[in-house]
Amino acid sequence: MNYVWDLLMRARKQGLDVDKFRFVPAVSYSPYMELSLAELNTSHLEQVVEINPYYRFYSIFRDLFPPDAAEDLELRESLFDIMMHFLAEIDLYQGMNRREYHIRFVQRDIADGIFGPKVKEAFGQLNREEQDAIAEGLLRLYETGEAVHLLKQTMRRVFHRSIIYTNCEEKDELLIYIGQEETMLSRIKVDLILNLFLPARFTTELYWTSHFGILEEDPTMKIDAIALY
């Protein structure tokens, strides 16, 4: 981990609020690294991060901290923190393509309540990878209209063991095996996905840890572990 954008990416994957990080100019640093970390391979992120401002941003910061300048130090350190946050966000956006921008727009619309307050509240309880999966699925839904296929795909990205079966012989029905224990959070995730992707004509049956039996499929025919359909 050498660059400030790498730090922000790791922080967001861990669910940390990057706005609470404080960037300060390092007193002692390597001229070959941007981050001045006590341990180079650490996975623990400190709230105060020391930066070598001259590694990539010499032209920006060369006049902010001249040698032996002690006046207005607090103001200059505050400006440094604000500017580093701004530069770090630019770093992240530079690695994005057009589609990733569109996914961010969908996430923004959900966060702004355009899909309704219930979707907004549930979406806010997901981690970043789950939010990306749902936003990308919605974008593809607008492009293709393949609701059932994208429901299956998005459910699998959020619940990695999930399986969805389609029963259209007598009625339009989806049998959804989640593959994990039902909790308040997992139920919120399932309801959110169904709310966004389930076509109106379909009904659903949910199976959490016990799969319904399928003849000649031995993993589903275990005694005391078969759900009734």
Side-chain angles (χ1 to χ4, degrees), residues 102-114:
H102 290 169
I103 292 172
R104 297 293 179 269
F105 293 152
V106 174
Q107 292 176 332
R108 184 188 62 187
D109 288 345
I110 296 175
D112 288 344
I114 292 178

Side-chain angles (χ1 to χ4, degrees), residues 128-146:
R128 188 171 184 83
E129 291 182 0
E130 293 167 342
Q131 290 181 349
D132 286 346
I134 289 177
E136 184 177 359
L138 278 175
L139 182 60
R140 292 187 60 193
L141 179 61
Y142 293 139
E143 294 170 344
T144 67
E146 295 288 340

Side-chain angles (χ1 to χ4, degrees), residues 166-183:
T166 306
N167 177 20
C168 294
E169 292 184 0
E170 298 180 355
K171 55 184 177 179
D172 292 327
E173 182 182 41
L174 297 179
L175 308 178
I176 305 174
Y177 170 69
I178 303 300
Q180 71 175 55
E181 293 283 347
E182 181 181 5
T183 64

Side-chain angles (χ1 to χ4, degrees), residues 92-106:
L92 291 178
Y93 282 116
Q94 282 182 337
M96 294 172 60
N97 56 32
R98 180 179 177 182
R99 185 165 190 82
E100 288 172 325
Y101 272 102
H102 290 169
I103 292 172
R104 297 293 179 269
F105 293 152
V106 174

Side-chain angles (χ1 to χ4, degrees), residues 109-129:
D109 288 345
I110 296 175
D112 288 344
I114 292 178
F115 290 81
K118 290 185 177 180
V119 171
K120 175 183 177 180
E121 182 180 356
F123 191 76
Q125 298 188 49
L126 275 57
N127 62 40
R128 188 171 184 83
E129 291 182 0

Side-chain angles (χ1 to χ4, degrees), residues 22-202:
R22 182 167 172 262
F23 297 113
V24 298
V27 177
S28 177
Y29 54 83
S30 167
Y32 306 105
M33 299 190 68
E34 185 164 277
L35 301 181
S36 182
L37 303 174
E39 297 181 21
L40 295 181
N41 298 319
T42 183
S43 59
H44 177 69
L45 303 180
E46 299 289 345
Q47 293 294 98
V48 178
V49 183
E50 293 189 358
I51 303 289
N52 171 8
Y54 308 122
Y55 183 70
R56 285 191 299 154
F57 307 117
Y58 174 78
S59 61
I60 298 174
F61 294 113
R62 62 183 180 185
D63 297 324
L64 191 59
F65 296 101
D68 302 326
E71 66 277 3
D72 300 322
L73 183 60
E74 183 177 351
L75 173 60
R76 286 186 280 122
E77 288 182 345
S78 296
L79 289 174
F80 179 82
D81 180 46
I82 294 171
M83 293 170 68
M84 281 306 308
H85 274 283
F86 179 71
L87 292 169
E89 291 293 338
I90 291 178
D91 261 353
L92 291 178
Y93 282 116
Q94 282 182 337
M96 294 172 60
N97 56 32
R98 180 179 177 182
R99 185 165 190 82
E100 288 172 325
Y101 272 102
H102 290 169
I103 292 172
R104 297 293 179 269
F105 293 152
V106 174
Q107 292 176 332
R108 184 188 62 187
D109 288 345
I110 296 175
D112 288 344
I114 292 178
F115 290 81
K118 290 185 177 180
V119 171
K120 175 183 177 180
E121 182 180 356
F123 191 76
Q125 298 188 49
L126 275 57
N127 62 40
R128 188 171 184 83
E129 291 182 0
E130 293 167 342
Q131 290 181 349
D132 286 346
I134 289 177
E136 184 177 359
L138 278 175
L139 182 60
R140 292 187 60 193
L141 179 61
Y142 293 139
E143 294 170 344
T144 67
E146 295 288 340
V148 175
H149 170 72
L150 291 168
L151 170 61
K152 293 180 179 181
Q153 188 177 75
T154 305
M155 190 73 75
R156 174 61 68 88
R157 290 183 65 180
V158 176
F159 299 98
H160 302 303
R161 298 182 59 195
S162 66
I163 306 173
I164 298 181
Y165 302 89
T166 306
N167 177 20
C168 294
E169 292 184 0
E170 298 180 355
K171 55 184 177 179
D172 292 327
E173 182 182 41
L174 297 179
L175 308 178
I176 305 174
Y177 170 69
I178 303 300
Q180 71 175 55
E181 293 283 347
E182 181 181 5
T183 64
M184 183 179 295
L185 180 59
S186 62
R187 184 74 203 202
I188 288 173
K189 294 177 183 179
V190 170
D191 289 345
L192 174 63
I193 295 172
L194 294 179
N195 189 10
L196 292 173
F197 294 94
L198 181 67
R201 72 179 190 275
F202 278 89

